Amino acid sequence: MKHIKKIITIIAVVAIGMLIFSQFSSSTKGTAQGDKILNLSVASEPIMDPAFVTDSYSMPMIKNIFEGLTRPTNEGEIVPAMAESWDVSEDGKTYTFHLRDDIFWNNGDPVTASDFEFSWRRIINPETGAPNASKMFIIEGAEAYFMGEGSEEDVKINAIDEQTFEVTLAEPAPYFIELTARQTTMMPVHPATVEVDGSWATEAGEQFVSNGPFNFVEWNHNGDYTLEKNQEYWDADNVDLDGVYVSIIEDPMTANMSFEQGNIDFIGIPFNTIPADAIDGYRENDELDVTEIGATYKYKLNTIDEVMSNVNIRRALSLAINRQELIDNVVKGEQTPALGGIAPTVEGFEEDRGYFEDADYDTAREYLTQGMEELGYDDATAMPIVIQTNDNDSHMAVAQFIQNEWERELGVQATIETAEINVHFESMSQLNYQVGRIGPTVDFNSAYAFLDHYYAAGNGQNRTGWENEEYQQILDEVLFEEDESVQRDMYLKAEEILMNEMPFIPIYYYSNPQVVNDRVEGLFVDGMVDVQLKEVTITE
């Protein structure tokens, strides 16, 4: 997700530029087979193994190539998918899923309960190294097994027979069915394929066995990839698209030009974002649609770094940002300033909770003075601070705004470093950064989902090195609390700890400015940033 002296020269340059762009854009049109091809673009190479995906560009595509026990609809309803029904025990902990009769992998093999057992156990196997294994810790025995403190036999994931899959949770979780629809860690993989070839997900084609509405048929690395309708899919009769062509365009300005040329059909999250400079034009033409999504644009802070280990420095940097000015003049997408850890998409958390004020420069300077004394710095300019972001003009514009804020109000001279997006996220996962941009989504729309990322330093979505015993205790206990008002108070207490400790700087709650080609119907991005390509139709 920036001295020609003679008029004739200007005309020549423009003409050449248009020719070059025309040649480029014509090469980005869909190449999947069939008449109804949806053309999209994303900003980075995909990761296509459900066990290893962490980026927001790959997740929506994986959920259309693979299918879990349930799936969400455009209306937000969670409906049967691989499972046609399920039962829940009286204590709310044991779920028994009954799989359909007519479900197959795209190579013709039947999808079985054993496939789900294999796939889920694979995620929590320590040898797999799945970065989001902690998302499965809701299952009884999963955390102990992953941490080397329990046996695999004690993990309550079992195929009772080929069509009956049983899971027992560590504690009741009313949102569990939504997790089976949205978490990539709960997507099944084909056991024989995974066991035979460890690199099965690094190329598209016949060896890429999947069970969703679309097959992953071609992948030109760093260029494009192609999906085609899966004729083996149980609900193939209700899939209108013949295929999806996805071009990999890292620069949002280039992606936007491609959209304007009619070569891609949609621009907005979770694909390429609309450049800030283009938003006003789409708004004036009444083409822009803006929706809320459950995500926060933030700067995570590496709390094991010498400078960022100081909580007062972290607080100072957070308070010395004018979020509303950033939104109004830089990002321009009708976002909301983020002054907490839970997005306003969650019921009961729509209003500001008063943890700190936007652009509170005076308090920021007080925190900075205290933090510098504790670290032994006499001069703010001598304190090294590096903002790391992926190589994207929009994110660079945000970084430059914040860099200027910190220098003007605090005297801090931060530098900005950029990296290719997957390199950027990997360095953050390895805590090889200081201040890092990220915009993570959640798997279900709950306060718990936003807070759980920071439950433990080892969580795949944490990326800060921070954890807090009192915070953990609250999240452990809240799952057993049935009174919703008491539960909300517990969430507020946990959020207060998070905002006091400030392992990340919340900047704004995401909105999703988006524009879709008139020929496309049913392309909808929900609040959890899921897209149901099986519901998309082409009208031309």
Side-chain angles (χ1 to χ4, degrees):
M1 255 172 141
K2 254 195 174 11
H3 281 280
I4 300 176
K5 298 181 180 179
K6 298 185 181 293
I7 297 296
I8 188 66
T9 308
I10 295 174
I11 294 172
V13 169
V14 171
I16 293 169
M18 291 178 66
L19 176 62
I20 292 171
F21 179 71
S22 175
Q23 292 173 338
F24 165 77
S25 60
S26 66
S27 70
T28 65
K29 285 294 275 186
T31 58
Q33 299 300 308
D35 297 325
K36 297 183 177 182
I37 306 302
L38 178 69
N39 294 287
L40 301 173
S41 73
V42 293
S44 72
E45 275 273 274
I47 298 171
M48 287 302 191
D49 186 337
F52 294 101
V53 62
T54 59
D55 69 283
S56 58
Y57 299 110
S58 302
M59 285 183 183
M61 307 312 296
I62 281 181
K63 295 175 190 178
N64 286 282
I65 296 171
F66 296 92
E67 182 168 270
L69 296 163
T70 62
R71 69 180 299 123
T73 66
N74 277 353
E75 290 71 36
E77 183 183 2
I78 304 300
V79 298
M82 290 288 105
E84 64 180 356
S85 65
W86 52 88
D87 306 311
V88 185
S89 63
E90 210 170 291
D91 65 1
K93 294 172 64 174
T94 299
Y95 288 72
T96 304
F97 295 91
H98 307 285
L99 272 59
R100 299 179 183 275
D101 294 324
D102 55 343
I103 49 177
F104 298 93
W105 296 98
N106 60 6
N107 68 351
D109 291 347
V111 178
T112 68
S114 296
D115 296 339
F116 276 93
E117 179 177 353
F118 169 87
S119 303
W120 288 25
R121 289 184 180 275
R122 174 178 178 245
I123 297 292
I124 58 172
N125 185 333
E127 295 182 2
T128 301
N132 286 325
S134 62
K135 291 189 175 185
M136 305 294 278
F137 290 175
I138 191 173
I139 298 167
E140 185 175 335
E143 182 176 10
Y145 170 53
F146 182 80
M147 301 300 292
E149 299 167 356
S151 68
E152 184 178 6
E153 290 72 24
D154 292 332
V155 178
K156 301 300 183 180
I157 301 171
N158 297 295
I160 305 302
D161 56 44
E162 290 304 271
Q163 288 186 274
T164 310
F165 181 55
E166 184 180 271
V167 182
T168 299
L169 308 184
E171 61 272 327
Y175 51 82
F176 180 67
I177 290 299
E178 186 170 1
L179 296 187
T180 65
R182 297 189 186 276
Q183 281 194 178
T184 56
T185 53
M186 293 185 176
M187 300 290 120
V189 293
H190 186 246
T193 297
V194 175
E195 290 178 320
V196 168
D197 183 6
S199 62
W200 67 276
T202 60
E203 297 293 341
E206 290 185 4
Q207 86 288 347
F208 195 100
V209 181
S210 59
N211 70 323
F214 296 92
N215 296 329
F216 187 39
V217 297
E218 186 176 358
W219 186 0
N220 298 307
H221 290 281
N222 296 306
D224 53 56
Y225 60 91
T226 304
L227 314 183
E228 288 185 355
K229 180 177 176 178
N230 178 10
Q231 300 297 340
E232 296 286 342
Y233 179 58
W234 69 273
D235 199 27
D237 289 347
N238 290 314
V239 178
D240 184 65
L241 292 176
D242 293 313
V244 183
Y245 174 76
V246 185
S247 50
I248 299 169
I249 307 175
E250 187 168 352
D251 177 42
M253 291 294 292
T254 304
N256 188 62
M257 286 191 292
S258 188
F259 175 81
E260 290 176 342
Q261 290 286 317
N263 292 302
I264 59 177
D265 294 313
F266 177 90
I267 187 163
I269 297 170
F271 309 112
N272 274 108
T273 55
I274 303 176
D277 291 344
I279 288 178
D280 288 340
Y282 288 125
R283 184 181 287 116
E284 290 169 4
N285 293 331
D286 201 26
E287 298 172 303
L288 188 72
D289 184 29
V290 181
T291 60
E292 281 190 337
I293 57 178
T296 308
Y297 192 104
K298 59 183 66 173
Y299 276 4
K300 292 199 173 186
L301 306 174
N302 179 2
T303 63
I304 67 171
D305 171 79
E306 179 185 1
V307 175
M308 292 303 133
S309 66
N310 186 278
V311 67
N312 289 308
I313 297 297
R314 302 198 298 266
R315 292 168 179 162
L317 295 178
S318 181
L319 270 59
I321 299 172
N322 191 324
R323 292 159 174 80
Q324 191 61 61
E325 184 180 337
L326 171 69
I327 292 166
D328 292 342
N329 299 319
V330 179
V331 293
K332 301 181 180 180
E334 302 179 24
Q335 296 87 351
T336 303
L339 304 176
I342 301 169
T345 52
V346 178
E347 185 178 356
F349 291 84
E350 297 90 348
E351 304 299 326
D352 174 38
R353 274 81 70 195
Y355 299 118
F356 60 93
E357 294 182 8
D358 189 23
D360 187 357
Y361 301 125
D362 289 339
T363 306
R365 284 187 280 270
E366 292 174 6
Y367 282 133
L368 179 71
T369 299
Q370 186 175 345
M372 288 175 57
E373 289 176 358
E374 291 165 350
L375 291 173
Y377 284 98
D378 297 322
D379 182 1
T381 63
M383 189 167 55
I385 294 180
V386 178
I387 301 171
Q388 179 179 302
T389 183
N390 49 301
D391 191 9
N392 174 296
D393 288 344
S394 299
H395 299 316
M396 176 61 79
V398 173
Q400 289 170 339
F401 177 91
I402 292 174
Q403 178 190 46
N404 291 334
E405 287 272 281
W406 289 349
E407 181 171 8
R408 185 186 68 245
E409 301 297 336
L410 302 179
V412 169
Q413 295 185 350
T415 58
I416 301 172
E417 293 182 356
T418 62
E420 187 274 327
I421 189 165
N422 288 329
V423 174
H424 167 61
F425 289 146
E426 179 61 22
S427 68
M428 289 186 66
S429 295
Q430 299 297 325
L431 296 182
N432 185 25
Y433 80 104
Q434 196 176 32
V435 178
R437 183 219 73 85
I438 201 164
T441 57
V442 293
D443 295 310
F444 56 102
N445 193 31
S446 160
Y448 185 88
F450 284 93
L451 299 174
D452 186 49
H453 283 189
Y454 304 94
Y455 179 84
N459 280 10
Q461 295 289 344
N462 188 311
R463 292 182 167 116
T464 69
W466 179 87
E467 63 181 31
N468 178 285
E469 187 174 342
E470 182 183 3
Y471 184 85
Q472 292 175 332
Q473 184 177 351
I474 294 171
L475 293 191
D476 286 339
E477 294 175 356
V478 74
L479 294 173
F480 295 93
E481 179 55 58
E482 296 181 359
D483 187 312
E484 290 185 2
S485 63
V486 175
Q487 197 177 67
R488 182 177 182 275
D489 288 342
M490 296 173 73
Y491 286 137
L492 288 170
K493 178 60 178 175
E495 186 183 33
E496 182 181 12
I497 293 171
L498 201 60
M499 290 298 94
N500 185 55
E501 291 285 311
M502 204 67 72
F504 66 87
I505 299 172
I507 298 175
Y508 56 78
Y509 300 121
Y510 269 103
S511 65
N512 189 8
Q514 54 196 286
V515 187
V516 62
N517 192 306
D518 290 340
R519 77 189 193 103
V520 177
E521 293 183 359
L523 180 52
F524 175 75
V525 182
D526 69 19
M528 299 294 100
V529 202
D530 278 336
V531 181
Q532 304 307 314
L533 296 180
K534 69 177 287 186
E535 298 189 30
V536 175
T537 61
I538 302 293
T539 58
E540 66 178 17

